[in-house]
Amino acid sequence: MVNKLKIDVVTIFPDYVVMPLAQSLIGKAGQSGLVEITANDLRDFTSDAHRTVDDTPYGGGAGMVMMPTVWGDAIDSISNATSAAVHELIILTPAGELFSQSMAQELSLSEHLIFACGRYEGIDQRVTDHYRTRPEFRVREVSIGNYVLNGGEAAALVMIEAIVRLVPGVIGNPESLAEESHSIAADAQDEVLLEYPIYTKPSKWRGLSVPAILTSGNHGLIATWRREQAISRTEQIRPKTRE
Ligand code: 6GU
């Protein structure tokens, strides 16, 4: 078997992630054996009758904090169950580094990804700090954007979809990945070019015609036009990313 990727999601809402992961390309990737995804219930790693995962914050403040004890037991158990040399531990938090195409590309080459989905006000900071001292772990705190979700589950789904489609063998058409790969180095430098506009039949719809150049048959002119469109669209929609 080549380059198999094991993904463990750890959450107090395993049902929230199970159905979406069984669908579409991610589900097919699972059937092909290239990717294996497990949704783990954090409460299975509690030791009290109430299956408690959270407690009040030291120093006061609103809300509850997820306990390091439970997370430590879950991550130790899940990492010990795979033979991977390195476990990529991804702690989902709005206070994390921003997720990007270049991070997806990097993570798609991993052996084992563990997504720790925080709820409430977040996970005790010592979980990150502890696993950063363990050489068999690579720990990242990751956010998918500058807005606040109630928990990391939806963010984990977003990341998994972006990562799994990049696993070699998962996408049917490697050409579409090759085109995207140009944007990856750019993304790493925050210099992404947005896609040019695309059209299909009919050539006229509700009074709107397809740009004539696209039906000209001149592939050189079409390529130039698309590049110009991508640049002007990027300047309009993301003025900051291109200065
Ligand atoms: Cl990873 N978690 C939460 N709770 N909110 C977010 C997020 C993550 N990324 C963006 N907003």
Side-chain angles (χ1 to χ4, degrees):
M1 210 174 300
V2 200
N3 204 32
K4 170 148 186 182
L5 172 60
K6 175 78 212 287
I7 299 178
D8 279 291
V9 182
V10 191
T11 166
I12 57 168
F13 295 119
D15 291 343
Y16 187 106
V17 299
V18 162
M19 281 297 288
L21 291 176
Q23 302 291 315
S24 130
L25 187 76
I26 306 175
K28 276 188 204 135
Q31 286 161 25
S32 73
L34 293 166
V35 181
E36 185 188 344
I37 308 181
T38 304
N40 304 271
D41 189 342
L42 180 68
R43 291 193 199 278
D44 289 349
F45 302 92
T46 56
S47 45
D48 65 316
H50 294 105
R51 314 227 294 163
T52 309
V53 296
D54 62 332
D55 208 328
T56 54
Y58 277 116
M64 300 290 273
V65 178
M66 295 186 110
M67 297 155 73
T69 47
V70 182
W71 276 106
D73 288 349
I75 294 163
D76 285 351
S77 166
I78 288 163
S79 57
N80 283 328
T82 87
S83 59
V86 174
H87 312 280
E88 295 277 352
L89 175 59
I90 295 151
I91 299 186
L92 294 153
T93 163
E97 167 191 9
L98 275 186
F99 184 52
S100 64
Q101 188 67 23
S102 52
M103 196 193 296
Q105 187 68 247
E106 213 180 298
L107 292 174
S108 72
L109 304 173
S110 307
E111 261 188 285
H112 189 204
L113 303 177
I114 303 173
F115 288 91
C117 301
R119 280 261 153 185
Y120 314 113
E121 300 309 306
I123 301 173
D124 188 301
Q125 189 59 43
R126 289 170 293 180
V127 175
T128 295
D129 297 347
H130 168 75
Y131 286 100
R132 283 199 169 141
T133 71
R134 304 254 308 254
E136 72 273 35
F137 287 87
R138 173 107 203 267
V139 185
R140 308 178 197 232
E141 295 177 333
V142 181
S143 160
I144 61 163
N146 293 327
Y147 38 80
V148 178
L149 306 169
N150 280 330
E153 286 77 8
L157 289 176
V158 165
M159 289 186 65
I160 290 166
E161 182 156 330
I163 292 164
V164 166
R165 61 189 290 283
L166 298 175
V167 170
V170 166
I171 262 205
N173 178 9
E175 227 177 73
S176 53
L177 286 185
E179 259 190 50
E180 282 173 28
S181 73
H182 297 300
S183 67
I184 290 163
D187 163 78
Q189 301 162 61
D190 224 5
E191 284 175 358
V192 272
L193 251 198
L194 303 183
E195 293 287 333
Y196 50 79
I198 54 167
Y199 303 86
T200 186
K201 291 179 270 296
S203 66
K204 191 159 190 182
W205 179 76
R206 299 193 180 178
L208 299 173
S209 293
V210 170
I213 192 141
L214 296 178
T215 53
S216 69
N218 187 327
H219 297 293
L221 282 181
I222 290 170
T224 302
W225 180 85
R226 284 177 166 166
R227 214 170 300 120
E228 289 167 355
Q229 289 290 312
I231 290 166
S232 62
R233 183 181 258 198
T234 306
E235 281 168 351
Q236 247 178 19
I237 298 174
R238 308 266 180 95
K240 237 184 2 201
T241 62
R242 283 189 64 79
E243 244 92 303

